[in-house]
Amino acid sequence: MAASRAAAPQPAYVLHQHDWSESSLILDLFTRGQGRVVAAAKGAKRPYSQLRAVLLPFQRLNVSLGKLPEGAEVQNLRHAEWAGGMALPQGAALFSGFYLNELLMRLLPRHDAHPVLFDAYAQTLPALAGDEPTVEAALRAFELVLLRETGSLPDLHLATLTQQPLRADRRYALRGEAGVIESADEVALEAAALVGLQAALEHGSLAALQQACTGTLPALKQQLRALLHYHLGSPALRTRQVMRDLQQLP
């Protein structure tokens, strides 16, 4: 298995970290070559450690990982260096970034490489500093790529039950248990919107997918939220709950 061998330096992002000892950290990393991995950063908390200023969220890193011992889940972080990136997001953009991280941690199994998803994550982060429509389109596009890469997104240009093309005069909803179905709900999506989203996904351009999302943002947000909750197996994400709580403060 690829995960059992020492990995060459590879691009990575820190999704989450927590204390391991007085001087070390346990990291949840999203790497391009190995997917999501857990690594021990020994000595990273020491005052003179070069890792202190490197192991930050939303910063692109190049990391080298040690071999994964048989039956173990944690690899040693041998080296990490900054590989460029934006300044740490602020305000709502920061919560949006942590929302992406939470989705990755909850939906991706460990040691399952998704280079397309990794690249989409890297391209989405800068968009989080944009205006509200830009951010919303970026988030919806990332959700679509994530669902597709994890095998949880049905073909959007077909009615799932019949595998027939969508009818232009009908509206459709996304259901976790049934795929694309006809719906009279007010947040149902036009057939043309779904066909456009599928075309953008197949084209492979994240910018084109973000543009396709722009024309149907409110309804698409509701549809994807329900689909994500179905596959997550829970009704709420921690980052969304924190954001709602903050919005309710006087």
Side-chain angles (χ1 to χ4, degrees):
M1 294 177 57
S4 66
R5 299 191 301 267
Q10 60 181 309
Y13 288 92
V14 175
L15 298 179
H16 185 260
Q17 62 176 250
H18 63 267
D19 292 342
W20 181 28
S21 65
E22 291 186 0
S23 62
S24 303
L25 296 168
I26 293 293
L27 308 172
D28 207 309
L29 299 174
F30 184 30
T31 71
R32 195 175 193 277
Q34 291 178 255
R36 191 169 68 86
V37 301
V38 177
K42 296 180 179 179
K45 294 169 59 181
R46 291 172 180 161
Y48 54 83
S49 173
Q50 296 180 345
L51 294 175
R52 285 172 62 92
V54 172
L55 299 178
L56 300 174
F58 317 120
Q59 301 299 303
R60 190 181 181 101
L61 309 175
N62 285 327
V63 302
S64 296
L65 300 171
K67 293 181 179 180
L68 183 64
E70 187 71 27
E73 296 184 355
V74 180
Q75 296 170 253
N76 286 326
L77 179 68
R78 289 181 168 177
H79 179 72
E81 61 182 12
W82 185 68
M86 61 183 189
L88 190 68
Q90 303 294 320
L94 182 63
F95 280 98
S96 294
F98 283 126
Y99 168 69
L100 299 185
N101 288 2
E102 186 175 0
L103 285 179
L104 290 170
M105 290 181 63
R106 293 185 61 177
L107 285 173
L108 286 186
R110 293 176 183 170
H111 304 294
D112 186 12
H114 287 278
V116 171
L117 184 58
F118 182 93
D119 293 343
Y121 177 84
Q123 294 174 54
T124 299
L125 290 178
L128 302 183
D131 57 22
E132 185 174 354
T134 299
V135 173
E136 288 295 313
L139 292 176
R140 302 295 81 78
F142 182 81
E143 290 167 349
L144 284 165
V145 175
L146 173 60
L147 287 165
R148 190 186 198 207
E149 284 293 302
T150 55
S152 303
L153 187 71
D155 287 335
L156 300 180
H157 67 304
L158 299 174
T160 303
L161 182 61
T162 64
Q163 289 295 292
Q164 295 300 308
L166 305 186
R167 294 179 55 174
D169 60 340
R170 303 295 175 87
R171 297 170 67 86
Y172 296 85
L174 303 178
R175 297 286 186 266
E177 70 284 0
V180 180
I181 63 170
E182 286 191 27
S183 174
D185 291 348
E186 61 181 19
V187 293
L189 298 165
E190 299 282 353
L194 287 169
V195 171
L197 291 170
Q198 183 68 34
L201 281 166
E202 293 177 356
H203 184 270
S205 166
L206 189 65
L209 183 58
Q210 291 171 350
Q211 183 61 41
C213 292
T214 300
T216 184
L217 284 173
L220 183 60
K221 182 176 183 178
Q222 294 297 320
Q223 296 290 337
L224 292 179
R225 177 172 294 180
L227 192 57
L228 284 165
H229 286 170
Y230 176 85
H231 290 292
L232 287 166
S234 62
L237 288 163
R238 185 178 304 172
T239 43
R240 278 186 177 153
Q241 185 60 53
V242 171
M243 178 62 78
R244 283 195 293 267
D245 292 344
L246 288 174
Q247 290 172 342
Q248 292 173 2
L249 291 177

